[in-house]
Amino acid sequence: MNKHYRIDTNVIHTENKPDPDYGVVSTPIYPAVAYAFKDTDTASSVVSGEKNGIYYGRYGNPTNRRLERKVAQMEGGDDAIAVSSGMAAISISLLGVLQHGDHVLVTRDVYGGTFSFLSNLAPRFGIEYDYVDLTDIENIKGYIKENTKAVYIETPSNPRLTILDIDAIASICQYKNLKLIVDNTFMSPILQKPLKLGADIVVHSATKYINGHGDVLAGLVVGSKEEIKFMRKNIMGDLGQCLSAYDSYQILRGIKTLSIRMKKHCENAQKIAVYLEDHPMVESVYYPGLQSHKGHGLANKQMKDMGGIISFELKSNQYEEIGKDFIDSLRLAMISFSLGDPETLVQHPASMTHYSIPSKDLPKYGLSKSLIRLSVGLEDVDDIINDLAQAFKKIELKFNKVK
Ligand SMILES: *Cc1c(COP(=O)(O)O)cnc(C)c1O
């Protein structure tokens, strides 16, 4: 990262050196597993960690190293590891800071995979957790136990876009000697830098905005040199959650347009959020860029812009299946579980990402059947709005018929 350049420049140029043999500008793909050493002593000092270097493909490769260094610098961290998925990054970060008998406080509306990992696998390793509403930071003090070692948060959260105060939570964590882990997937390092606000570890699903093209599964963990070294050798290395060089190359290519993509995602999302808020068939819109959003002030303070995800609720007194019908009426937006792609993607949390929650329990999680999540794409915003408008018309007709 060059201090004299701004982020739009650094996102392209950081770790993007031409290769020494031919001056190739794009990063070469090194599908390397085997490395040759000049003698056994050198090999031995690399494997023992005395000397820097890579000795086997499961611990990394030179293409991944470029990606890791680049994202570490963009997040303002010491080092990073690139791993095989966002869930690999999340499980590695938790296993990295927690041991048997430890306890972690987790934000209530956490990503489904994280929820599943904590419910099903973590207890088998003696890891305890509690879900806490961290919009009230006093809750940390209320729920902290003798064996609490970490706090795990996501902000903005999925799907309600709840904003948590990273700086305030980090201060309590420092005071109580807890590690703070932040899932920064929705923001990317362009829009939010949790480490600068006091967090210890940042995780990403690089599958989403960082790669940005819906064709790679990958994750990143950013943290201190020591933490990353342990995670690389003893977690990623031993569990084998490594990323292929080819995938790294794709992400390095995608990341060059991250800044410009995020700008367009945010610009489109802001306009769509305003359009939705004004629509008579919409009950509520969750987008931190709206004045009406509970976390608007805080979002302005800690985020550079508001991101590309909007959730909204239709007035469901019309009929129960209105949310699904609306989604099925869209023509441009594609029904998909993913987010952060050039295409506008839409999903119905109650029957898709959160399908395992029984209907009667939906309100407990702040969900309803009329809630819709939109990952606003890079298309012309008027085309996205026209698509929404024609879907509103269709369900209005249907409603008038059932009436
Ligand atoms: C998608 C996602 C993940 C999981 O990432 P994968 O790459 O699918 O494993 C984690 N956190 C958030 C916020 C996500 O959106």
Side-chain angles (χ1 to χ4, degrees), residues 381-396:
V381 69
D382 290 337
D383 288 329
I384 308 172
I385 290 176
N386 287 340
D387 189 31
L388 296 165
Q390 63 82 27
F392 278 122
K393 280 217 184 84
K394 262 190 216 153
I395 54 166
E396 202 171 5

